[in-house]
Amino acid sequence: MILSELRDYLRENRRAAFSDMALRFDIAPEALRPMLEKWIAKGRLVRLPAGTPCGSACCHCDPLTVEIYEWRD
């Protein structure tokens, strides 16, 4: 996966959980994190505070244990 694929996914979805992105792109978490940090450094992505809901109505995850990221245009 390259940074532009991650960017396109985040632009389309606006918000995404770290674990969902790792599964979606079939990438190890330790390889995904530096890519997210690159977009954060550019001011395009923010990590939302713990407890922020992902936006799904499923309610299967404890919001305090999920890392949510949001794309900023």
Side-chain angles (χ1 to χ4, degrees):
M1 178 184 64
I2 55 177
L3 284 170
S4 61
E5 290 177 275
L6 180 59
R7 177 203 61 212
D8 294 345
Y9 175 78
L10 288 163
R11 277 183 177 166
E12 182 179 323
N13 293 286
R14 306 304 297 172
R15 258 186 200 184
F18 181 82
S19 58
D20 290 344
M21 289 185 279
L23 288 172
R24 163 73 172 79
F25 292 105
D26 191 28
I27 188 171
E30 51 278 352
L32 176 60
R33 194 162 306 280
M35 293 181 196
L36 294 173
E37 289 171 2
K38 180 80 166 176
W39 288 116
I40 290 169
K42 290 181 173 246
R44 307 301 271 167
L45 187 67
V46 294
R47 182 177 174 184
L48 299 176
T52 301
C54 68
S56 173
C58 72
C59 300
H60 290 289
C61 301
D62 177 359
L64 295 175
T65 64
V66 180
E67 283 182 48
I68 305 291
Y69 291 86
E70 184 174 78
W71 186 258
R72 301 282 168 96
D73 285 320

